[in-house]
Amino acid sequence: MKLFDVYPLFDVNIVKGKGCAVWDDKGQVYLDLYGGHAVISIGHCNQHYVKRMTEQLNTLGFYSNSVINGLQRELAERLGKISGYDDYQLFLINSGAEANENALKLASFKNGRTRVLSAEKSFHGRTSLAVEVTNNPKIIAPINDNSHVTYLPINDIEAWEKELAKGDVCACILECIQGVGGIKMVTEEFAKALSEACKKHGTVLICDEIQCGYGRSGKFFAHQWLGIRPDLITVAKGIGNGFPMGAVLISPDFEPVYGQLGTTFGGNHLACAAALAVLDVMESEDLIDNARVTGEYLMKKLKDLQTVQPHITDVRGQGLMIGIDLDIPHKELRQNLVYEQHCFTGCASTNILRLLPPLTFTKNMADDFIERLKRAFAAIEK
């Protein structure tokens, strides 16, 4: 049997990681500005994380959600305090797509509606409801296309208010910093107006913080830069630093009903140990502030580079979530970065580099990356 081929792969076999570096099976070290697609929040193989996971596995790796799991309760309390949402409720699952699935179900249970507003160029996952609210027809199978969703441009409040005024919208789902969409930023004016419009029309506001949340933007959640408080918040990726986990933060306005939601593996003992270790390190190493400070430094360095590198047409982002627009396809540049400069980045569309390093990324690493990026540009211009 062979693997079902769904991804174009770099010909590199990564076998080891430490902090913001990874090694291949030949011993070559790479600077990691991809973080396994924004998953690695506290760095690869953080020793506190490894210790806590090992201790938990030696104690109890799994039992079902039919009994009390004290780690779930501890996580809910800790996450509420650090995020500023201690009055919300926590539902633990396994992934970002699953988080969005359950958030959309909760919204529909609450108001009985079926229509959803989602942003153009959004990405919310690949499962049934999550892929339907994702603005990419290439990945929406006919069985998932149920005509529930209207896609609208971000920051065009008139377009969103016009649809909301029809009175049949179940939920608005929004990434306050679009990831796959190319690090497109929601404005404070738009976010506040949308929040008020949702309240006026009885529509549930869902903020998808799966990629832009968990400290990456320099606040715990990206929407906190915009002064709004959504009804539902979805998280995954950085919550477990590589261990599969997702969650929905649910406002006090929602009453739980037994049987509506459920999960076999969600919030298992090992997953909760991972999430608690992440919060330990985020607090002890002040990683949210580091994301803000180091992100600002890296952004400035990139904008300085833009003034002398004509292939860079724009640099934007928040914290350690940065997009670099190019006037050329990113493919050749990324190949040089990997194979010659030994550096991983993400991408979006055909011409955007996406930087999503661990939140432990430093200014020295930023300087190092800039030099590697310069060399990569020089190589493709020859």
Side-chain angles (χ1 to χ4, degrees), residues 42-161:
I42 60 170
H44 297 279
C45 298
N46 175 279
Q47 288 305 294
H48 176 73
Y49 177 89
V50 171
K51 182 174 183 290
R52 185 146 191 178
M53 292 286 280
T54 303
E55 289 175 348
Q56 185 60 49
L57 196 56
N58 280 327
T59 304
L60 179 66
F62 177 83
Y63 201 73
S64 82
N65 283 309
S66 61
V67 299
I68 291 170
N69 179 345
L71 293 174
Q72 291 182 352
R73 297 182 176 187
E74 182 184 354
L75 176 59
E77 182 178 353
R78 291 276 306 281
L79 180 55
K81 287 180 179 177
I82 191 173
S83 69
Y85 281 93
D86 54 358
D87 59 333
Y88 275 43
Q89 305 159 91
L90 185 65
F91 178 55
L92 296 167
I93 52 271
N94 307 290
S95 69
E98 196 175 336
N100 284 331
E101 290 276 330
N102 282 282
L104 290 162
K105 286 168 66 177
L106 280 167
S108 189
F109 280 133
K110 185 170 179 60
N111 57 31
R113 303 172 186 172
T114 60
R115 198 156 75 93
V116 179
L117 304 184
S118 183
E120 293 176 356
K121 298 187 177 181
S122 61
F123 186 92
H124 299 290
R126 294 178 180 271
T127 52
S128 182
L129 284 170
V131 79
E132 192 178 353
V133 295
T134 292
N135 187 209
N136 184 349
K138 292 181 180 179
I139 67 171
I140 301 176
I143 198 170
N144 303 128
D145 189 3
N146 296 309
S147 303
H148 291 145
V149 184
T150 302
Y151 303 108
L152 300 170
I154 63 169
N155 300 326
D156 184 350
I157 190 59
E158 290 184 4
W160 291 70
E161 287 180 335

Side-chain angles (χ1 to χ4, degrees), residues 12 45 49 51 80 94 115 170 180 194 209 218 228 241 267 280 282 287 297 324 326 377:
V12 177
C45 298
Y49 177 89
K51 182 174 183 290
N94 307 290
R115 198 156 75 93
C170 166
V180 174
L194 180 63
E209 293 276 354
I228 62 171
N241 199 56
D280 289 343
M282 286 179 69
L287 293 186
Y297 180 82
I324 306 170
L326 306 172
F377 275 121

Side-chain angles (χ1 to χ4, degrees), residues 49-317:
Y49 177 89
V50 171
K51 182 174 183 290
R52 185 146 191 178
M53 292 286 280
T54 303
E55 289 175 348
Q56 185 60 49
L57 196 56
N58 280 327
T59 304
L60 179 66
F62 177 83
Y63 201 73
S64 82
N65 283 309
S66 61
V67 299
I68 291 170
N69 179 345
L71 293 174
Q72 291 182 352
R73 297 182 176 187
E74 182 184 354
L75 176 59
E77 182 178 353
R78 291 276 306 281
L79 180 55
K81 287 180 179 177
I82 191 173
S83 69
Y85 281 93
D86 54 358
D87 59 333
Y88 275 43
Q89 305 159 91
L90 185 65
F91 178 55
L92 296 167
I93 52 271
N94 307 290
S95 69
E98 196 175 336
N100 284 331
E101 290 276 330
N102 282 282
L104 290 162
K105 286 168 66 177
L106 280 167
S108 189
F109 280 133
K110 185 170 179 60
N111 57 31
R113 303 172 186 172
T114 60
R115 198 156 75 93
V116 179
L117 304 184
S118 183
E120 293 176 356
K121 298 187 177 181
S122 61
F123 186 92
H124 299 290
R126 294 178 180 271
T127 52
S128 182
L129 284 170
V131 79
E132 192 178 353
V133 295
T134 292
N135 187 209
N136 184 349
K138 292 181 180 179
I139 67 171
I140 301 176
I143 198 170
N144 303 128
D145 189 3
N146 296 309
S147 303
H148 291 145
V149 184
T150 302
Y151 303 108
L152 300 170
I154 63 169
N155 300 326
D156 184 350
I157 190 59
E158 290 184 4
W160 291 70
E161 287 180 335
K162 181 180 178 180
E163 294 297 324
L164 285 166
K166 296 177 181 178
D168 64 344
V169 177
C170 166
C172 293
I173 186 167
L174 187 68
E175 303 162 275
C176 289
I177 305 174
Q178 289 188 329
V180 174
I183 318 297
K184 300 295 172 61
M185 314 283 289
V186 168
T187 66
E188 182 176 354
E189 180 183 15
F190 171 78
K192 287 182 174 178
L194 180 63
S195 178
E196 288 303 312
C198 284
K199 292 174 185 174
K200 177 181 177 181
H201 296 289
T203 297
V204 174
L205 178 59
I206 304 170
C207 278
D208 178 340
E209 293 276 354
I210 290 161
Q211 188 168 139
C212 59
Y214 245 78
R216 180 158 297 282
S217 74
K219 289 187 183 288
F220 198 89
F221 293 125
H223 71 258
Q224 290 170 321
W225 288 103
L226 306 175
I228 62 171
R229 196 171 176 86
D231 301 298
L232 300 170
I233 305 164
T234 57
V235 298
K237 294 191 184 293
I239 188 175
N241 199 56
F243 195 93
M245 195 176 196
V248 186
L249 279 67
I250 305 165
S251 87
D253 295 335
F254 289 75
E255 291 289 337
V257 176
Y258 287 156
Q260 281 188 343
L261 304 181
T263 174
T264 297
F265 295 105
N268 66 73
H269 294 74
L270 200 54
C272 286
L276 287 164
V278 166
L279 292 181
D280 289 343
V281 177
M282 286 179 69
E283 289 187 294
S284 66
E285 298 186 14
D286 203 8
L287 293 186
I288 297 175
D289 192 57
N290 183 69
R292 179 185 62 80
V293 172
T294 307
E296 289 173 354
Y297 180 82
L298 178 55
M299 184 84 75
K300 183 180 183 305
K301 299 286 286 189
L302 287 166
K303 286 183 177 294
D304 288 346
L305 180 58
Q306 182 184 356
T307 64
V308 297
Q309 175 46 256
H311 287 313
I312 298 178
T313 60
D314 190 28
V315 179
R316 60 184 173 274

